[in-house]
């Protein structure tokens, strides 16, 4: 089989490479000339574990190629996936669908020039609000004869940082379409997953579109729930990790996404919750719970700066703070909506000097957080600092030499916003340890705002 993947970002590139690994001939298209040039040279435009190897093996085997020319990609394609960005529209939180509709129009115009192509399935893999698939269908039918194409929704559930594994061994595949022909093309494309007995949910286009948003809003709610429980744990002397363990063992609840932290970020949860809230409001069925989740999460990120200030004795003015981790999660270079973007600027404004290190995110971070001092490694960041703040739980930060950290810090203060250290280990190393929702770790009291104490 032969497919085209429009948009070679975190989703398009991983999906394209994985389909090629399934034996499908894949042409990835992007408008970004530099990105395609790098991929043609074998350089990865993003950091995703295992991606470079997967791309190079399949490109060498002739199953995976990169181009800016849509016509080359669509020629002979059984299916074309739209995997372009759907960021939040400025001002109203609605998904900005301009990239999706532009891609649909370009696909239609190009297919019109390829009359010998036969039938093509146009698949939306981008996360799009309910109704978008039908609008894509209308764009195509204005330019193409009926019977030459079908439309399907195939939302993607991969997570950055484990994207290849998630694509290759997903919990489920969701395929929304009215067309039997589209269903059979997608069934054939995902055949290797059928062999692994991956559940495949066939739905209408509208249902498939909503499944994706409902899934992300549910997970964001779960994270927000445990974050609020963490605050309660601090107030009443309980341990959030034990609470999460205790409830997570209940099969109805599940253990995942119960890690208390600084609030969720990333390229999906915030924008997808906002878009779902818009869809629900427009449908006259407001999702007030998801609205509240977004508000609580924003408040939480802002409150983290206050926590850091309190750990520094009430003010960060003139203090140097070492920050480990800037990306929204480990194993990615993605900085979109990272908590660091909300937590660190107020500290800088309050007079702190931030010495930061992130294993893969610093190229992106430098564009978004230009006022930080960037370091070559964790120990350089910590050298002479008044506090160490752990923001992203990269594995390499789990095994730091605590004795060395203690000797490098000017004041022995550690604020761990991901609970990756054991309070006893920190105490043994002579470090004053603050963590989330664990009373054993010197919880932070008081509610002074950063502005007031700076
Ligand atoms: N990033 C994730 O973890 C993730 C997971 C699941 C779903 N999604 C969804 O997948 C979609 C893509 O997300 P992403 O993170 O890969 O985005 P991204 O910004 O990394 O990549 C989008 C790419 O599309 C390209 N593009 C835009 N318009 C184009 C056009 N007309 N022709 C060719 N290329 C074009 C851009 O140049 C860019 O390279 C979004 O809807 C997102 O919500 C993302």
């Amino acid at each position: 089989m032969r497919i085209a993947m429009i948009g070679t970002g975190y989703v398009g590139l991983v999906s394209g490479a994985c389909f090629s690994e399934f034996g499908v001939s894949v042409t990835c298209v992007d408008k970004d000339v530099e990105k395609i040039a790098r991929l043609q040279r074998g350089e990865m435009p993003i950091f995703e574990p295992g991606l470079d190897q997967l791309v190079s093996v399949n490109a060498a085997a002739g199953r995976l190629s990169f181009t800016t020319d849509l016509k080359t990609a669509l020629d002979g394609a059984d299916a074309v996936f739209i995997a372009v960005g759907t960021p939040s529209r400025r001002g109203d939180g609605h998904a900005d669908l301009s990239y999706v509709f532009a891609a649909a129009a370009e696909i239609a115009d190009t297919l019109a020039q390829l009359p010998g192509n036969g039938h093509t399935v146009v698949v939306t893999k981008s996360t799009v609000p309910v109704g978008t698939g039908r609008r894509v269908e209308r764009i195509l039918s204005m330019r193409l004869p009926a019977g030459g194409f079908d439309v399907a929704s195939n939302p993607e559930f991969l997570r950055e940082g484990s994207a290849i594994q998630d694509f290759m061994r997903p919990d489920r595949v969701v395929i929304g379409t009215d067309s039997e022909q589209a269903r059979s093309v997608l069934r054939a494309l995902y055949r290797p997953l059928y062999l692994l007995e991956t559940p495949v949910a066939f739905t209408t286009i509208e249902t498939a579109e909503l499944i994706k948003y409902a899934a992300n809003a549910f997970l964001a709610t779960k994270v927000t729930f445990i974050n609020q429980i963490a605050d309660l744990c601090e107030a009443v002397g309980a341990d959030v990790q034990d609470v999460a363990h205790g409830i997570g063992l209940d099969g109805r609840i599940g253990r995942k996404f119960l890690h208390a932290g600084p609030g969720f970020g990333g390229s999906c949860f915030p924008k997808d919750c906002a878009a779902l809230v818009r869809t629900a409001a427009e449908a006259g069925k407001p999702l007030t719970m998801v609205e509240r989740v977004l508000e609580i999460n924003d408040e939480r990120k802002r409150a983290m700066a206050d926590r850091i200030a309190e750990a520094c004795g009430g003010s960060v003015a003139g203090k140097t703070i070492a920050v480990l981790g800037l990306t929204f999660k480990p194993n990615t270079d993605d900085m979109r909506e990272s908590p660091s973007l909300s937590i660190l600027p107020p500290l800088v404004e309050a007079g702190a000097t931030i010495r930061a290190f992130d294993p893969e995110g610093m190229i992106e971070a430098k564009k978004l957080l230009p006022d930080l001092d960037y370091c070559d490694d964790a120990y350089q960041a910590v050298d002479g600092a008044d506090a160490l703040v752990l923001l992203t739980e990269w594995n390499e930060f789990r095994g730091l030499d605590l004795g060395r950290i203690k000797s490098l810090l000017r004041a022995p203060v550690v604020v761990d916003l991901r609970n990756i250290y054991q309070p006893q280990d920190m105490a043994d190393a002579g470090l004053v340890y603050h963590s989330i929702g664990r009373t054993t770790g010197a919880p932070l009291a008081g509610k002074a705002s950063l502005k007031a104490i700076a």
Side-chain angles (χ1 to χ4, degrees), residues 9-11 30-31 35 84 86 106 127 156 160 271 336:
Y10 287 87
V11 165
D30 207 287
K31 280 204 164 331
K35 196 179 263 192
V84 301
T86 49
E106 287 158 21
T127 302
E156 183 49 58
E160 289 171 19
K271 84 168 172 65
R336 288 178 286 185

Side-chain angles (χ1 to χ4, degrees), residues 70 126 128 154 228 239-240 257 260 272 295 322 338 402 431 444:
L70 190 56
S126 298
V128 292
N154 172 222
Q228 286 206 316
D239 184 313
V240 73
F257 280 76
D272 290 350
E295 286 163 9
S338 176
L402 296 181
L431 293 161
L444 294 161

Side-chain angles (χ1 to χ4, degrees), residues 5-13 29-33 35 46 67-68 70 82-87 98-104 106 125-128 155-161 163 212-213 216 267-268 271-272 328-329 334 336:
M5 188 66 67
I6 315 295
T8 311
Y10 287 87
V11 165
L13 181 54
V29 192
D30 207 287
K31 280 204 164 331
D32 186 333
V33 178
K35 196 179 263 192
I46 55 167
T67 182
T68 53
L70 190 56
I82 300 176
V84 301
T86 49
S98 56
Y99 301 101
V100 172
F101 294 144
E106 287 158 21
K125 194 166 254 316
S126 298
T127 302
V128 292
E156 183 49 58
F157 299 95
L158 64 75
R159 295 162 299 175
E160 289 171 19
K212 173 64 192 176
Y213 281 104
N216 273 0
S267 68
C268 292
K271 84 168 172 65
D272 290 350
F328 83 97
K329 62 150 110 168
D334 200 343
R336 288 178 286 185

Side-chain angles (χ1 to χ4, degrees), residues 338-412:
S338 176
S340 62
L341 299 175
S342 304
I343 297 169
L344 301 181
L347 295 173
V348 173
E349 256 171 55
T353 299
I354 307 268
R355 293 166 58 81
F357 172 70
D358 186 284
E360 295 290 341
M362 292 204 293
I363 294 175
E364 275 309 299
K366 282 175 188 171
K367 298 176 198 162
L368 300 165
L369 295 166
D371 296 329
L372 312 191
D373 295 343
Y374 290 90
C375 299
D376 294 335
D377 63 30
Y379 297 105
Q380 193 188 68
V382 168
D383 195 2
D386 296 290
L388 159 61
V389 176
L390 189 290
L391 264 189
T392 317
E393 66 279 31
W394 286 87
N395 267 343
E396 69 176 74
F397 300 148
R398 294 176 191 273
L400 292 177
D401 176 343
L402 296 181
R404 190 170 165 205
I405 294 290
K406 166 80 166 49
S407 67
L408 287 171
L409 280 169
R410 191 153 53 195

Side-chain angles (χ1 to χ4, degrees), residues 230-254:
D231 289 348
L232 180 59
C233 284
E234 289 172 14
V236 300
D239 184 313
V240 73
Q241 287 189 301
D242 291 341
V243 173
H245 183 63
I247 63 172
L249 289 171
D250 185 329
R252 295 169 301 177
I253 295 171

Side-chain angles (χ1 to χ4, degrees), residues 41-304:
R41 290 196 299 269
E43 294 168 22
M44 292 306 104
I46 55 167
F47 174 74
E48 179 62 45
L51 187 61
D52 47 358
Q53 173 76 1
L54 192 71
V55 168
S56 76
V57 166
N58 285 288
R63 287 189 297 266
L64 180 62
S65 59
F66 302 97
T67 182
T68 53
D69 180 28
L70 190 56
K71 197 166 178 186
T72 310
L74 286 185
D75 197 2
D78 300 287
V80 47
F81 287 77
I82 300 176
V84 301
T86 49
S88 265
R89 201 162 65 186
R90 217 170 275 187
D92 66 4
H94 205 287
D96 177 354
L97 296 173
S98 56
Y99 301 101
V100 172
F101 294 144
E106 287 158 21
I107 290 168
D109 290 340
T110 309
L111 284 178
Q113 297 166 36
L114 295 166
N117 232 35
H119 184 269
T120 312
V121 185
V122 180
V123 189
T124 310
K125 194 166 254 316
S126 298
T127 302
V128 292
V130 174
T132 306
R134 297 291 170 200
R135 291 174 71 183
V136 166
E137 201 165 47
R138 280 201 290 280
I139 291 170
L140 294 163
S141 51
M142 281 192 297
R143 295 166 168 87
L144 295 172
F149 71 93
D150 275 309
V151 170
S153 166
N154 172 222
E156 183 49 58
F157 299 95
L158 64 75
R159 295 162 299 175
E160 289 171 19
S162 55
I164 293 169
Q165 170 73 10
D166 288 350
F167 192 95
M168 297 283 200
R169 292 192 172 258
D171 290 336
R172 78 311 207 176
V173 171
V174 173
I175 294 170
T177 182
D178 305 333
S179 148
E180 189 45 54
Q181 202 168 350
R183 219 170 281 140
S184 86
V185 168
L186 283 159
R187 201 183 275 124
L189 282 171
Y190 281 110
R191 200 177 127 71
L193 299 184
Y194 268 76
L195 302 177
L196 295 172
E197 298 183 0
T198 303
V200 180
F202 288 104
T203 69
T204 64
I205 294 177
E206 288 76 8
T207 301
E209 289 170 339
L210 193 53
I211 286 172
K212 173 64 192 176
Y213 281 104
N216 273 0
F218 188 87
L219 293 172
T221 303
K222 205 170 172 188
V223 171
T224 302
F225 176 80
I226 202 66
N227 282 340
Q228 286 206 316
I229 292 289
D231 289 348
L232 180 59
C233 284
E234 289 172 14
V236 300
D239 184 313
V240 73
Q241 287 189 301
D242 291 341
V243 173
H245 183 63
I247 63 172
L249 289 171
D250 185 329
R252 295 169 301 177
I253 295 171
R255 298 155 78 148
K256 294 185 177 163
F257 280 76
L258 286 179
H259 302 289
F264 61 77
S267 68
C268 292
F269 283 7
K271 84 168 172 65
D272 290 350
C273 287
L276 181 62
V277 161
R278 292 294 306 175
T279 300
E282 281 167 17
K285 299 286 171 199
L287 275 170
T288 46
M289 191 174 73
V290 182
E291 288 171 27
R292 200 58 201 116
V293 162
L294 281 170
E295 286 163 9
I296 294 166
N297 194 59
D298 283 346
E299 287 159 15
R300 182 166 190 84
K301 288 196 259 186
R302 282 196 295 273
M304 291 300 125

